[in-house]
Amino acid sequence: MLVFFRDGFYKDLVLLLVVTVMIGAVFSQGVAWAIDTYFGDTLDGMIGEYGEYDLILHIRDEAKEAALRELERIGEQSFPGYRLNQTLTIAGQANFFIGLPEDYRTKEVLESITSYFGAVPGINGYTLMVEPSVLLRGVHPAVRDELKEQLEDLRDVRFVVQDGVNLVVVLTREDAVSGVTAAIEDILQQYQIVELRFPMGFEVDTREVGEKAMAILRSQEGMGGTYRNVTSAEYGEDLDAFLKTLVEMRDFLGSYASQVRIAPAPGVRLMVGEWILLEDDITVEITGVFGDLVEGMIVEGSPVQSTDTVVYQGFRRLAEGEQGEFVGDVEIENERYRLAYAVDESLRLLAELEELSVQASTAVDNADAVLTTFQEALMQLEVLQVQMRQLNEGIATGEAKSSGEQFLVSLLLNGLFQTLAQGVIHSGEESLDSLEHLDIEAMRNSLSGISEQIANVQEIDVTAIMEQIGFVRDTLPNLNDAEIGQSIRLINTYLGGQVIPGERVQLLLEGGRVDEKALEKLFQKELENPYLHTYSTSVGMVSPDARGEIFRILKEVRSIVAGILSIIFTVMVLVLDHATIFSTLKHLLASRKPLRSLWRRLLNPILILGGTLGAFLLTSVYYLSRSQIPYFQWPAVVVLGFVLGVLIVVFAERFSPVDSMELMAAQSLGLSNCEIMREVVIPPSRPGLMVMLNRFKKQF
Amino acid sequence: MLQIQGLRKSYGKLVALDGVDLTVEKGETVVIMGPSGCGKSTLIRCVNRLTEPDEGTILLQGQNVLELGHIELQDLRRKVGFVFQQFNLISRLTVLDNVIFHLVLGGMDRDQAATRGRRVLARVGLANTEDRRPHELSGGQQQRVGIARALVTNPEIMLWDEPTASLDPILVGEVLEVMEELVKTTSTTMVIVTHEVSFALRAAERIVFMDKGQIVEEGRPQEVLANPQSEIACLYRKLLVQ
Ligand SMILES: Nc1ncnc2c1ncn2[C@@H]1O[C@H](COP(=O)(O)OP(=O)(O)OP(=O)(O)O)[C@@H](O)[C@H]1O
Ligand SMILES: [Mg+2]
């Protein structure tokens, strides 16, 4: 094979490779650079040049005209010499870039942006973009002031502005950014926040636990630094609130789900998470096992609607969804149906209430008349009483001899009293005494009170209330158990992945470092809570400012584009140029004896040559064009190049077929391989670099 | 001039040449005949190693062809004219360039080569076609360009691989005419593979019949065809009688 190159063609090949690599690098980098420049210019047009603007005001799009007038007024009044530029509207939000004159770029102004611009129509917040600056995100409130002081003492730092939980460190000069960034990182290194998280449902006294935890830390050997309990609610409470809401929602849903209780048959063990099949296509998931009491929830199907407890037979659900052994009786109480029933009943009462109130007012009027009659009767009774006493005395002294007369009178008395006040009166005499104590006037007053209240009741819009309650009632049965069950499962899945921060205790460690995971077991043991977890966070994070971030991404894009272009370029060069060489080479070597063994075929010098060429081309172009594709490191580049080269060799004839007749004629005329390539093979092949370079070599 | 001994060549399992011995004297014209696939092309391509044989020896003017290095092989090929069945012209070159480009690459002055090329072209009857491209010519004309290309180096031996086989019958005549004229007027050694029996009778000093990779019969054309021994020779005789 080497003979093929030896008689001069190797020079052409080397020249070709050098030119190819140079052009490839220039091409890939050139295009990438063009993209870079284009986007760079576009960005400058959009967000101004470095340091041109100091803040971005976000304004609702519909209010932007009014906002613009107001901004101009504020600008002229408070910041003469200001710059204003309205740029992109993103997601219904217009963005105004404002540049402050040098005299106004002060800590005082930048920390009171809200007081200047808070009244601008449609304002939706602002972003500081003072340059040069370093942005420190998510600064823990416990160290904020302390950090601010330290940062302001750094060299090249002009001042530090607090912007929510962030600190913007404004610098005196642009080239100090990296130095200050490093210095800030050093300061941050001195702090560590060790966080103990207790799962949902553990209400702990954060102060007390904090003290204990610090005592534990102090008792550890070789642990320098000072500790402070900096537990703060201000920090990351959004997620907490969200998770707590989810838990509330789950519990709310759960209280409306049918209650499922399973009495396991003897010898049956059930586990949380298992599914049980019931009749009527109902599936129940086990949610809790408490000794003999097993609870579950319905995840598929709906039970019979009944206020009574319904009992089903439960069967284990096998992996394929088939019905397994009997596991026990399953009682289902449909809470919603019961509720609906109760609501129904109250609705009926409510409907009667109106009628009742009408009836009641008539009744009160009647009662009044009754009372009058009653009072008269009482007076007559008193007379009767006197008469009877005399009669009694007469009887006792023997003046009245007839026992039949006596019997009649007592009978009469008993009957009368019983109709007036039931069950109170035992003997005529005492009962009459108590009757005398009845305050008829008071009773009359309270009767009039009742009639007033009844009038109030009549004023209430009972119909509207009934409509509302009816609406609630109608929706109740619409919630079906399977849906509730699925929602609960969904929420549980989400919560399962989260450590639900029930309570947290944060300890600030200054001037030391601990391995918080190594301490987890210790804390779990000492604080007697196996569910607590420990985490370590930083008190803040240095992050590139918006512009730096955009340019970093741009640079990355540039390298990726260059990388992709290098690969495309290499493939093109291989297809256009090298495929021709390989198909010729394969053709010329074909008259030799074929290689027998497989490994000789794999180690075929043409394949190896192709792979090497491919690897060389891709690697050189990739390197020279300063390409960088993420996760695509050097070995991968070399391997890809090799594979491409081998593929080109294998499919060489497809990409660039050689005219075997012309080739054979040229051989028969005694041409050297180099002459054959230059005069016969290359000129009619696909136009590429090789054809171009060959122009200068060929004689015909 | 040419001595071939024990030449063997197989393509995988297929045996194309199965021990061929052949001697050609200087200035002799030998016609090789045989059925399609019997190994004629393989045989004459082995002579200038367009095909590499597996075994045997080939002596050309005393040089062992199979042991030449690639530079010497190129020198040898320049002394051997080869005419192909499909003409095998370089399609992007003009007629004249096709005829002379190997001379120029070999170091000859371009004008000198052109003069020589035109002379050869005139000799094969293509005086006014030098600026045309091969595809603008008829098959017969293209083959005559092929002949001129082989002839321009004044080769000591010319190998012809069925020069008329891809031409339609009307054009066969003009090519055969040129060939016959060459045989008669030059002293070049000729090895011609062809099925043209009457041409063999007129121009050849010897006919060699091949079958299945072997030489089955050879001799002076009139004698062999008058009294054929082999099956193949009989078939060609019938062809002649018709
Ligand atoms: N490059 C090759 N690869 C594989 N087999 C080949 C090759 N060249 C020729 N053969 C086979 O070798 C045998 C001899 O071929 P060759 O071309 O020498 O025959 P030929 O006598 O010239 O026939 P034709 O009259 O058709 O030209 C044939 O069977 C042919 O199929
Ligand atoms: Mg043939």
Side-chain angles (χ1 to χ4, degrees):
Chain A
M1 185 186 73
L2 289 179
V3 167
F4 176 78
F5 298 100
R6 208 189 298 154
D7 59 15
F9 189 62
Y10 76 93
K11 286 190 217 151
D12 295 24
L13 188 63
V14 168
L15 181 69
L16 173 69
L17 291 178
V18 170
V19 174
T20 300
V21 167
M22 271 163 46
I23 291 183
V26 168
F27 165 77
S28 306
Q29 224 196 340
V31 174
W33 175 81
I35 292 173
D36 209 13
T37 319
Y38 171 75
F39 279 115
D41 285 351
T42 315
L43 276 175
D44 279 350
M46 241 153 56
I47 64 178
E49 280 173 20
Y50 196 83
E52 192 175 345
Y53 297 108
D54 300 307
L55 74 147
I56 311 168
L57 291 181
H58 312 299
I59 309 276
R60 279 202 310 281
D61 198 35
E62 67 270 16
K64 70 182 175 196
E65 272 81 27
L68 185 61
R69 277 196 300 278
E70 178 66 5
L71 285 177
E72 281 166 351
R73 193 190 63 75
I74 297 172
E76 271 151 35
Q77 198 174 49
S78 309
F79 310 111
Y82 73 103
R83 290 175 301 278
L84 178 65
N85 182 22
Q86 187 203 329
T87 60
L88 293 182
T89 296
I90 301 164
Q93 194 157 277
N95 295 288
F96 287 87
F97 283 67
I98 292 176
L100 299 174
E102 194 49 42
D103 291 351
Y104 295 94
R105 292 173 103 209
T106 61
K107 179 175 179 153
E108 289 68 36
V109 169
L110 292 172
E111 276 186 347
S112 43
I113 296 298
T114 320
S115 65
Y116 285 105
F117 296 102
V120 171
I123 191 148
N124 234 349
Y126 68 92
T127 305
L128 285 182
M129 55 173 293
V130 194
E131 283 160 328
S133 69
V134 176
L135 181 62
L136 197 55
R137 280 188 204 278
V139 178
H140 196 284
V143 289
R144 190 188 293 141
D145 293 333
E146 183 176 331
L147 266 184
K148 245 165 122 173
E149 272 174 33
Q150 289 190 51
L151 295 177
E152 278 179 339
D153 288 345
L154 287 177
R155 228 155 61 103
D156 298 320
V157 170
R158 215 166 119 187
F159 51 80
V160 178
V161 181
Q162 185 195 333
D163 181 20
V165 291
N166 302 339
L167 291 180
V168 183
V169 183
V170 181
L171 310 184
T172 49
R173 48 195 188 90
E174 190 183 329
D175 48 6
V177 172
S178 57
V180 172
T181 303
I184 295 177
E185 299 275 11
D186 284 346
I187 293 176
L188 292 180
Q189 279 296 309
Q190 298 166 13
Y191 299 93
Q192 181 188 12
I193 288 179
V194 177
E195 196 172 289
L196 307 183
R197 282 197 199 160
F198 296 86
M200 201 64 178
F202 284 90
E203 297 295 321
V204 293
D205 180 338
T206 56
R207 223 171 50 79
E208 192 189 314
V209 172
E211 291 304 321
K212 278 190 199 164
M214 285 191 289
I216 294 170
L217 281 177
R218 283 191 199 102
S219 71
Q220 289 303 107
E221 266 183 44
M223 217 157 270
T226 55
Y227 306 96
R228 247 191 296 162
N229 185 352
V230 291
T231 306
S232 146
E234 189 186 333
Y235 195 62
E237 65 188 355
D238 282 355
L239 180 69
D240 290 14
F242 173 63
L243 291 174
K244 276 182 178 148
T245 310
L246 270 187
V247 172
E248 291 290 331
M249 219 153 97
R250 180 186 64 185
D251 296 346
F252 171 80
L253 283 171
S255 65
Y256 280 100
S258 290
Q259 300 208 341
V260 179
R261 274 187 301 278
I262 303 149
V268 171
R269 260 181 56 95
L270 293 171
M271 285 187 302
V272 173
E274 257 188 299
W275 284 22
I276 306 289
L277 295 175
L278 315 181
E279 298 104 43
D280 299 344
D281 292 329
I282 301 171
T283 308
V284 167
E285 179 179 321
I286 308 230
T287 54
V289 177
F290 313 96
D292 269 353
L293 176 67
V294 176
E295 288 181 352
M297 74 184 177
I298 296 174
V299 289
E300 269 170 41
S302 46
V304 174
Q305 301 222 327
S306 164
T307 49
D308 296 328
T309 304
V310 188
V311 181
Y312 288 94
Q313 290 199 315
F315 300 90
R316 212 183 281 276
R317 180 179 178 275
L318 303 179
E320 309 82 46
E322 282 162 23
Q323 185 168 315
E325 90 226 56
F326 173 73
V327 292
D329 287 332
V330 180
E331 292 180 1
I332 297 181
E333 278 176 35
N334 191 327
E335 289 294 321
R336 285 183 324 291
Y337 194 72
R338 281 189 182 174
L339 186 64
Y341 178 78
V343 173
D344 270 347
E345 289 299 295
S346 30
L347 273 179
R348 199 167 325 141
L349 277 178
L350 210 55
E352 279 169 15
L353 184 63
E354 224 175 359
E355 213 177 311
L356 201 71
S357 65
V358 178
Q359 286 173 1
S361 65
T362 332
V364 168
D365 291 342
N366 289 345
D368 205 32
V370 169
L371 275 181
T372 314
T373 325
F374 186 61
Q375 204 173 17
E376 280 164 19
L378 267 184
M379 281 193 282
Q380 285 168 9
L381 264 176
E382 272 171 49
V383 178
L384 186 67
Q385 197 180 18
V386 175
Q387 287 172 349
M388 279 204 292
R389 201 172 288 134
Q390 290 165 350
L391 185 67
N392 267 353
E393 282 163 4
I395 291 168
T397 54
E399 281 169 34
K401 307 259 190 264
S402 164
S403 61
E405 223 178 317
Q406 193 185 358
F407 178 72
L408 185 77
V409 170
S410 55
L411 195 73
L412 181 81
L413 281 175
N414 280 334
L416 176 67
F417 293 146
Q418 266 167 12
T419 48
L420 279 172
Q422 241 175 347
V424 179
I425 297 160
H426 302 292
S427 81
E429 202 156 332
E430 289 124 63
S431 303
L432 272 176
D433 285 345
S434 61
L435 265 177
E436 273 171 58
H437 296 126
L438 271 174
D439 187 347
I440 300 291
E441 262 330 291
M443 283 173 80
R444 195 162 269 157
N445 284 343
S446 63
L447 263 182
S448 77
I450 291 175
S451 84
E452 259 170 42
Q453 279 171 6
I454 289 175
N456 284 343
V457 168
Q458 279 174 319
E459 270 172 28
I460 297 172
D461 189 351
V462 177
T463 332
I465 295 177
M466 279 166 65
E467 248 172 45
Q468 287 302 317
I469 295 182
F471 179 70
V472 172
R473 189 230 164 276
D474 288 344
T475 58
L476 280 174
N478 286 349
L479 278 170
N480 87 42
D481 271 303
E483 280 169 12
I484 295 176
Q486 298 293 3
S487 308
I488 291 177
R489 275 169 58 80
L490 195 70
I491 294 175
N492 279 339
T493 320
Y494 180 76
L495 291 177
Q498 301 285 325
V499 177
I500 310 164
E503 287 288 354
R504 70 168 106 212
V505 172
Q506 294 177 318
L507 304 177
L508 176 70
L509 169 55
E510 202 177 333
R513 259 301 95 198
V514 298
D515 176 0
E516 80 290 345
K517 283 295 162 200
L519 291 172
E520 192 168 271
K521 282 263 168 322
L522 180 72
F523 279 127
Q524 285 176 353
K525 188 166 150 276
E526 296 287 326
L527 296 174
E528 289 164 4
N529 189 327
Y531 302 109
L532 76 79
H533 290 286
T534 53
Y535 297 89
S536 172
T537 53
S538 162
V539 291
M541 246 170 38
V542 179
S543 53
D545 58 311
R547 180 189 301 272
E549 188 68 357
I550 289 171
F551 279 92
R552 192 188 58 72
I553 292 170
L554 205 63
K555 194 163 158 261
E556 225 166 65
V557 168
R558 201 204 70 87
S559 315
I560 294 173
V561 167
I564 293 170
L565 287 175
S566 318
I567 295 173
I568 294 175
F569 181 82
T570 307
V571 170
M572 271 174 54
V573 163
L574 286 173
V575 168
L576 292 178
D577 296 343
H578 300 266
T580 309
I581 301 176
F582 293 122
S583 65
T584 310
L585 201 52
K586 278 167 88 176
H587 193 87
L588 293 179
L589 294 186
S591 64
R592 303 280 179 81
K593 283 184 199 167
L595 300 167
R596 289 280 151 73
S597 65
L598 178 71
W599 80 272
R600 286 284 308 273
R601 242 182 283 168
L602 284 180
L603 285 181
N604 188 337
I606 307 188
L607 288 182
I608 291 171
L609 175 73
T612 313
L613 264 180
F616 168 75
L617 280 174
L618 183 60
T619 312
S620 325
V621 174
Y622 196 88
Y623 173 75
L624 289 177
S625 63
R626 276 180 259 157
S627 304
Q628 197 68 60
I629 300 177
Y631 311 114
F632 195 63
Q633 304 303 324
W634 286 115
V637 176
V638 174
V639 169
L640 178 68
F642 194 88
V643 170
L644 285 175
V646 167
L647 283 177
I648 293 298
V649 171
V650 172
F651 296 107
E653 292 91 343
R654 299 250 188 103
F655 294 127
S656 183
V658 280
D659 186 327
S660 59
M661 305 232 180
E662 295 192 0
L663 200 61
M664 196 183 279
Q667 277 181 294
S668 79
L669 293 169
L671 267 54
S672 70
N673 289 317
C674 180
E675 288 164 339
I676 292 176
M677 289 308 293
R678 286 181 187 173
E679 305 294 334
V680 178
V681 174
I682 296 175
S685 72
R686 290 177 189 280
L689 265 180
M690 189 167 66
V691 173
M692 240 163 64
L693 290 177
N694 192 57
R695 290 246 167 92
F696 307 104
K697 305 265 179 180
K698 67 170 186 181
Q699 301 189 34
F700 283 87
Chain B
M1 180 80 201
L2 174 68
Q3 282 126 0
I4 297 172
Q5 265 174 357
L7 200 64
R8 283 172 205 280
K9 168 77 184 177
S10 19
Y11 297 103
K13 280 184 185 155
L14 189 128
V15 180
L17 292 179
D18 191 8
V20 173
D21 301 317
L22 179 69
T23 306
V24 180
E25 296 304 329
K26 191 166 167 33
E28 195 183 9
T29 299
V30 175
V31 165
I32 300 176
M33 288 183 171
S36 186
C38 72
K40 307 181 296 287
S41 301
T42 307
L43 174 62
I44 64 166
R45 279 179 196 169
C46 282
V47 173
N48 66 351
R49 276 172 63 188
L50 292 178
T51 298
E52 294 285 345
D54 301 338
E55 256 178 63
T57 49
I58 300 172
L59 292 181
L60 189 64
Q61 289 184 310
Q63 268 187 307
N64 189 341
V65 174
L66 303 184
E67 281 172 8
L68 297 178
H70 77 283
I71 303 282
E72 299 151 318
L73 178 62
Q74 283 161 20
D75 286 341
L76 174 117
R77 281 173 174 170
R78 276 185 219 121
K79 288 188 271 176
V80 179
F82 202 106
V83 180
F84 296 89
Q85 179 177 346
Q86 307 289 345
F87 330 134
N88 297 24
L89 301 178
I90 310 298
S91 54
R92 72 179 179 92
L93 298 183
T94 62
V95 167
L96 182 64
D97 286 348
N98 256 292
V99 174
I100 62 162
F101 81 107
H102 53 294
L103 290 181
V104 177
L105 294 177
M108 189 182 281
D109 174 71
R110 209 180 248 250
D111 291 337
Q112 196 188 337
T115 317
R116 202 156 148 186
R118 288 193 188 96
R119 211 166 49 223
V120 179
L121 278 172
R123 193 166 168 194
V124 298
L126 291 173
N128 296 315
T129 56
E130 62 178 66
D131 291 330
R132 300 218 211 146
R133 310 265 159 185
H135 62 89
E136 295 166 331
L137 303 179
S138 74
Q141 289 172 316
Q142 286 186 49
Q143 188 58 295
R144 282 186 277 150
V145 175
I147 295 169
R149 178 177 68 183
L151 204 57
V152 78
T153 52
N154 288 325
E156 308 195 5
I157 183 168
M158 280 184 82
L159 308 173
W160 307 67
D161 190 2
E162 302 194 40
T164 56
S166 4
L167 299 175
D168 61 72
I170 299 155
L171 299 175
V172 170
E174 66 185 59
V175 174
L176 287 179
E177 228 167 81
V178 172
M179 289 168 67
E180 233 178 300
E181 196 263 342
L182 282 177
V183 170
K184 290 193 173 129
T185 56
T186 62
S187 59
T188 309
T189 311
M190 305 272 188
V191 179
I192 305 169
V193 174
T194 182
H195 297 292
E196 301 294 335
V197 189
S198 57
F199 169 80
L201 270 175
R202 284 197 306 275
E205 283 142 281
R206 192 146 53 104
I207 297 191
V208 173
F209 288 106
M210 284 183 70
D211 192 17
K212 293 172 189 149
Q214 290 178 323
I215 293 177
V216 291
E217 193 173 350
E218 61 178 303
R220 295 181 59 78
Q222 289 81 358
E223 290 166 17
V224 177
L225 287 168
N227 187 17
Q229 303 294 309
S230 62
E231 220 177 300
I232 302 303
C234 290
L235 287 173
Y236 278 93
R237 186 189 133 99
K238 271 189 204 147
L239 215 68
L240 187 66
V241 172
Q242 279 165 12

